[in-house]
Amino acid sequence: MEQIPFVPSAPNTLGIELELQLIDPRTFDLTAASDELLAQMADHPIADRVKPEITRSMIELNSSVHEHPMGLLAEMREMRSALCEAADAVGVSVAGGGAHPFMRWQERSISDTPRFQYLAEMYGYLARQFTVFGQHIHLGVKSGDQAITLTRQLSAYVPHFIALSASSPYYEGVDTLFSCCRLNAVNSFPLAGHMPPEVTDWYRFEAHLAQLRTLGLAESIKDLYWDIRPKPEFGTVEIRVCDTPLTVERACQLAAFAQALAVLLQREPQPEGGLWLAYRSNHFQACRFGLQGSYVTAEGQRLRLIDHLRALFGRLLPVADELGTTDMLTALRDDALRAGNDARWLRAQFHRLRDLPSVVESMTGAFRGEIGVVGMAGTDPTAVLRRRVRATSEPLGGVGVQTLAEPGTAPRRLH
């Protein structure tokens, strides 16, 4: 069995990746401009941190390694400014958000790299449908065994990351009724999901990957589309379930949340119990209903996710105080509990503007920092939805459920 070397990292260090949307400033649809943008940035000091993604309507920003999220925030603001300046020069705009509200996957162009061309040949239309945008959070660990332990411990909190970051309520001109529809595209891939429960240490991880290779199911760790996975060449655990937030400020708050949570779990390991039994249901609830979804704990208690999150913030704030990140976690908590997530903000924008291209325009403004973070953009959060949908398995019944756009309908309005 081939051994997989794990490059150790300083514990509790962090970094992020942000997949971003390239927007035509005239139509506010996606535009295939990554090649032009990368060429424009070729001589910039951050050029090596700006990467192509699977389709040419996407770009990826990679941070460096940081000990403190405030340093990360300073770097991400500098990178945002450089990226937006280059984007202006080639006539495009940049936006966050987990999915473009009205793009058509059929119109996407695959990036010209061997990896992405292979994915297009292997997965067909799924590769173009994979024009969705996520934030990946990397947490440093010392060893492979510690990476597996942290991956397992963090798995109970996958719904929390999904709900806090959710920013993809609209897709192809339709209100999906999901807070996060992006993960439905990710889950189409055969090796999506969670790390197998039987993988309890690095040796068993190596054995699992060796078995996948022997059976022809995977060639490398890159083929594992797990919600959380080890990244041995970086010496990190990579959290992969977050939608790209609308602002770099929210992205760095989520990184601070992940760092504090990792420290807490190292100090207070949680029993796994029934974690895996409820994993897929918890995942769905967070995607569908966001912070208002149901959550089943490893101990078998069922409650609202927002209530479990409120208690979790109470446990995290003393850790954040030690780490010097109290302000970032407090801002994340207050926005989540008072105003909700980015998905709710986007729906508020649509109900105000009644036009999806105008919503995308507001997304580009939010990314530039021209609009305040969620809950601070002058939108009354109580007016976001005209009707609340309870997160239960009971039939919705009655009227008022979002009417989906007919195939071929111009995605200008949803109603």
Side-chain angles (χ1 to χ4, degrees), residues 234-252:
F234 291 172
T236 64
V237 168
E238 181 185 16
I239 302 167
R240 300 164 48 82
V241 293
C242 295
D243 279 359
T244 295
L246 298 177
T247 67
V248 297
E249 288 78 14
R250 173 55 55 85
C252 293

Side-chain angles (χ1 to χ4, degrees), residues 150-165:
L150 184 57
T151 298
R152 294 175 69 91
Q153 289 281 301
L154 286 170
S155 294
Y157 300 92
V158 160
H160 305 65
F161 284 102
I162 293 172
L164 284 169
S165 67

Side-chain angles (χ1 to χ4, degrees), residues 52-349:
E53 254 299 336
I54 189 165
T55 68
R56 295 179 59 237
S57 302
M58 310 172 69
I59 207 79
E60 181 180 279
L61 284 187
N62 297 324
S63 79
S64 54
V65 179
H66 291 269
E67 294 183 359
H68 197 287
M70 286 304 296
L72 173 67
L73 176 58
E75 180 187 38
M76 295 308 297
R77 283 173 167 165
E78 291 177 3
M79 294 177 72
R80 174 185 63 189
S81 296
L83 181 66
C84 288
E85 182 179 346
D88 289 343
V90 299
V92 299
S93 298
V94 182
H100 186 277
F102 63 89
M103 73 96 183
R104 304 280 295 179
W105 65 262
Q106 299 93 329
E107 299 170 1
R108 306 285 63 85
S109 173
I110 299 293
S111 295
D112 188 17
T113 71
R115 170 74 179 170
F116 295 144
Q117 291 295 323
Y118 162 76
L119 292 176
E121 292 178 10
M122 178 67 181
Y123 294 111
Y125 84 104
L126 293 180
R128 286 177 170 80
Q129 275 201 330
F130 205 37
T131 306
V132 289
F133 308 83
Q135 172 183 356
H136 297 178
I137 304 171
H138 290 264
L139 299 170
V141 290
K142 287 183 176 180
S143 69
D145 284 343
Q146 289 185 8
I148 297 303
T149 297
L150 184 57
T151 298
R152 294 175 69 91
Q153 289 281 301
L154 286 170
S155 294
Y157 300 92
V158 160
H160 305 65
F161 284 102
I162 293 172
L164 284 169
S165 67
S167 59
S168 51
Y170 297 108
Y171 189 69
E172 295 202 350
V174 171
D175 186 337
T176 65
L177 298 183
F178 277 67
S179 284
C180 167
C181 78
R182 177 185 69 91
L183 288 173
N184 294 326
V186 179
N187 291 335
S188 299
F189 290 85
L191 295 179
H194 59 73
M195 186 173 69
E198 62 269 20
V199 175
T200 56
D201 56 30
W202 193 248
Y203 176 82
R204 288 178 174 82
F205 174 77
E206 291 175 321
H208 178 71
L209 188 58
Q211 184 179 26
L212 292 177
R213 286 171 171 162
T214 298
L215 297 173
L217 301 178
E219 294 182 3
S220 72
I221 294 175
K222 287 184 177 181
D223 295 319
L224 305 179
Y225 287 79
W226 294 348
D227 296 336
I228 308 175
R229 72 182 183 192
K231 191 78 169 176
E233 65 270 34
F234 291 172
T236 64
V237 168
E238 181 185 16
I239 302 167
R240 300 164 48 82
V241 293
C242 295
D243 279 359
T244 295
L246 298 177
T247 67
V248 297
E249 288 78 14
R250 173 55 55 85
C252 293
Q253 290 169 3
L254 289 166
F257 175 83
Q259 183 189 52
L261 180 58
V263 172
L264 178 68
L265 293 174
Q266 291 163 23
R267 295 176 182 177
E268 303 176 13
Q270 301 297 301
E272 292 184 4
L275 164 65
W276 308 113
L277 177 65
Y279 188 93
R280 291 304 306 167
S281 178
N282 284 341
H283 190 288
F284 168 79
Q285 285 281 325
C287 288
R288 172 63 175 87
F289 298 103
L291 295 162
Q292 301 303 321
S294 296
Y295 178 70
V296 177
T297 68
E299 296 80 15
Q301 180 187 10
R302 183 182 177 92
L303 68 166
R304 285 198 311 164
L305 180 58
I306 196 168
D307 293 330
H308 193 269
L309 189 59
R310 184 181 290 108
L312 178 60
F313 272 114
R315 296 168 59 207
L316 289 177
L317 284 175
V319 177
D321 187 53
E322 296 176 29
L323 297 172
T325 57
T326 301
D327 289 348
M328 298 183 82
L329 258 69
T330 299
L332 179 64
R333 178 199 64 187
D334 291 349
D335 277 340
L337 299 183
R338 286 204 299 254
N341 52 27
D342 282 358
R344 196 175 189 202
W345 186 86
L346 288 167
R347 284 194 169 104
Q349 293 300 301

Side-chain angles (χ1 to χ4, degrees), residues 169-177 350-351 354 356 386-387 396 398-407 409 413-415:
Y170 297 108
Y171 189 69
E172 295 202 350
V174 171
D175 186 337
T176 65
L177 298 183
F350 177 76
H351 286 294
R354 311 304 298 176
L356 281 178
R386 290 166 290 179
R387 178 181 63 85
L396 295 173
V399 296
V401 177
Q402 170 70 48
T403 302
L404 304 184
E406 292 292 331
T409 302
R413 294 183 181 275
L414 295 178
H415 303 287

